[in-house]
Amino acid sequence: MQAAPVRATAIPSFTNALRAVESILLSGGQRTARRNAWTSVLEDRRRAKDRVEAQQVLEAVATRL
């Protein structure tokens, strides 16, 4: 009995499928703008997390004094 043949092409991930649909529906400028906006959202979240951590450190130091 032979083993099943191995698939030569990878099944696209969900992200790749979304990007393919996006490339069909949106022009290049809109795609770039959307990606830049999402990058900004992620950076804002990172800065907010850093602010919370800094506030917690400052409060911990203040309670020790």
Side-chain angles (χ1 to χ4, degrees):
M1 184 177 271
Q2 292 181 340
V6 177
R7 186 176 211 149
T9 57
I11 298 173
S13 69
F14 185 71
T15 302
N16 289 341
L18 283 178
R19 285 192 177 158
V21 170
E22 173 189 64
S23 68
I24 293 168
L25 297 177
L26 300 177
S27 69
Q30 289 173 323
R31 258 191 320 243
T32 300
R34 187 194 58 77
R35 287 188 184 144
N36 287 345
W38 183 244
T39 300
S40 294
V41 167
L42 295 177
E43 183 64 20
D44 287 346
R45 289 178 182 176
R46 187 194 61 77
R47 282 194 300 265
K49 180 181 171 194
D50 289 347
R51 280 193 302 273
V52 168
E53 290 172 357
Q55 182 65 33
Q56 291 170 346
V57 168
L58 290 173
E59 289 172 357
V61 169
T63 57
R64 292 182 189 159
L65 296 178

